Amino acid sequence: MGKRNTTWDSKKIEQWIKEGRGQGEGKEYKPWLTIQDFPSMGRVTRVFGWTTQRIHHFFSDTQLKYFYLLDWEEKVIDIREHYPLIDLEVVLNDTTDLKIDKFEDKKTKEPYIITTTFLITLLDSDGKKSFAARSIKYASELSRRSTIEKLEIERRYWEAQGINWGIVTNKDINTVRAKNIEWIHSVMGFGSDNSFSEDELADLLYALLYRFIDSQKSIKNIISGFERDYTLDAGMGLFLFKRLIAEKRISLDMDRPININQTCKSIYIPEVNGKEVNEGVKVFG
């Protein structure tokens, strides 16, 4: 395998722009940074997004957890990670006091392209779009001068465009909620289950859903009984249960750990009870 080229210069910027990085929306968006760009970044993740129907790239657990919160929210219609501020000096007429020259390659003296962790598109009940930009950091990073200076550049950039910007740290994230979403997240990915046709899967989901109505049994017992009655492979019942949650055909308190040993009293079924559960957007602070 050839050695990864880590040189940062004008040619690489031109190349990345030509590749479409930092451009597009939804499924067509390409993040400015990917996990393949760096030889070692510790814990990194690639995950398929429900909202965008594409692969996302993350460089920390905090970024990943915040992504799960975004991907769960129905009002979020696009999530663009590692969004580049390519037009920084155009948007900000005066950057003399921002110390942008500190963020450059030591060898080539080429300025790095500053990025914001997330640019989020929201759609309200009236069909109106709005945007929010969020910089994800560990709380311990906020005492570093270089971090503070970079965040100030981001703040001014988004303020100049009238876009809501904020900092989110690991202390701000609802970890229980993020873990619950992570637990069910894989069931909505492409090719998550090829054992059944779409019609067969729909029938199984419907059949399992109605087993929870007015039942006094535990969730686990219902799942086990369903697998036995339908001669399903072990684990398929749990997959279907997760799928029902992911499709929001079953509502649980996502701010408490999901426990399948609980009885069905912890479950709310919107399509049976006749109304939706509106939790509201909880992730923007």
Side-chain angles (χ1 to χ4, degrees):
M1 182 181 292
K3 186 177 180 181
R4 185 182 282 106
N5 179 16
T6 58
T7 301
W8 182 252
D9 54 26
S10 59
K11 289 183 178 180
K12 177 165 280 190
I13 295 175
E14 291 174 6
Q15 175 191 334
W16 283 16
I17 291 175
K18 188 176 181 180
E19 290 173 3
R21 297 201 190 200
Q23 302 167 53
E25 295 182 20
K27 190 175 183 179
E28 305 306 318
Y29 174 75
K30 294 184 179 181
W32 184 255
L33 303 174
T34 71
I35 63 173
Q36 290 86 10
D37 297 324
F38 304 96
S40 178
M41 288 292 290
R43 182 177 169 85
V44 296
T45 312
R46 296 170 74 251
V47 60
F48 181 78
W50 299 347
T51 304
T52 62
Q53 295 293 294
R54 67 172 178 83
I55 297 294
H56 293 258
H57 296 249
F58 302 113
F59 299 110
S60 72
D61 286 343
T62 304
Q63 291 179 4
L64 178 62
K65 288 176 182 177
Y66 192 72
F67 166 75
Y68 283 135
L69 299 181
L70 294 175
D71 215 20
W72 179 255
E73 294 295 337
E74 293 182 4
K75 291 184 179 180
V76 173
I77 61 170
D78 198 6
I79 305 167
R80 286 176 276 183
E81 77 275 23
H82 313 305
Y83 188 86
L85 315 187
I86 295 177
D87 56 349
L88 176 65
E89 297 196 48
V90 175
V91 172
L92 299 178
N93 295 324
D94 185 5
T95 61
T96 55
D97 65 327
L98 287 177
K99 301 180 181 179
I100 292 178
D101 58 338
K102 289 186 64 175
F103 302 96
E104 64 180 25
D105 188 278
K106 292 181 179 180
K107 291 183 178 180
T108 66
K109 302 302 179 183
E110 183 69 35
Y112 291 113
I113 300 298
I114 291 175
T115 61
T116 293
T117 318
F118 289 108
L119 177 59
I120 307 150
T121 308
L122 302 105
L123 190 68
D124 67 19
S125 56
D126 296 324
K128 183 180 179 181
K129 283 186 181 181
S130 62
F131 300 91
R134 289 294 181 267
S135 297
I136 312 301
K137 297 292 179 185
Y138 286 106
S140 59
E141 294 181 90
L142 299 184
S143 60
R144 300 175 189 171
R145 179 175 293 181
S146 60
T147 298
I148 294 171
E149 291 171 343
K150 179 181 179 293
L151 290 172
E152 176 60 14
I153 293 171
E154 291 184 56
R155 184 191 71 79
R156 291 201 201 176
Y157 176 87
W158 294 112
E159 182 181 55
Q161 300 191 86
I163 292 176
N164 181 287
W165 171 87
I167 303 167
V168 178
T169 75
N170 51 303
K171 293 182 178 181
D172 300 317
I173 291 175
N174 186 329
T175 301
V176 171
R177 190 177 181 85
K179 285 184 177 179
N180 283 339
I181 298 167
E182 182 178 20
W183 186 68
I184 63 173
H185 201 269
S186 62
V187 302
M188 293 293 280
F190 49 76
S192 56
D193 186 81
N194 295 317
S195 303
F196 302 97
S197 69
E198 288 187 15
D199 288 342
E200 289 171 332
L201 184 61
D203 288 342
L204 286 171
L205 288 169
Y206 183 86
L208 178 59
L209 178 70
Y210 274 79
R211 289 220 175 181
F212 292 115
I213 299 173
D214 297 328
S215 175
Q216 302 300 313
K217 296 180 180 179
S218 72
I219 297 169
K220 183 177 181 180
N221 283 343
I222 289 179
I223 289 173
S224 298
F226 188 79
E227 287 181 343
R228 183 175 58 253
D229 293 345
Y230 282 79
T231 61
L232 299 173
D233 292 339
M236 188 61 195
L238 185 61
F239 170 87
L240 294 169
F241 176 66
K242 290 181 178 181
R243 186 72 179 245
L244 287 170
I245 302 172
E247 293 182 4
K248 300 187 179 178
R249 298 176 67 185
I250 279 179
S251 292
L252 301 170
D253 184 350
M254 296 297 283
D255 295 332
R256 301 180 65 179
I258 296 173
N259 181 4
I260 63 172
N261 291 311
Q262 291 180 327
T263 67
C264 294
K265 290 182 180 180
S266 62
I267 291 176
Y268 181 81
I269 306 175
E271 63 189 79
V272 173
N273 295 91
K275 64 178 182 178
E276 296 292 333
V277 176
N278 184 11
E279 297 182 289
V281 179
K282 299 186 176 184
V283 293
F284 303 115

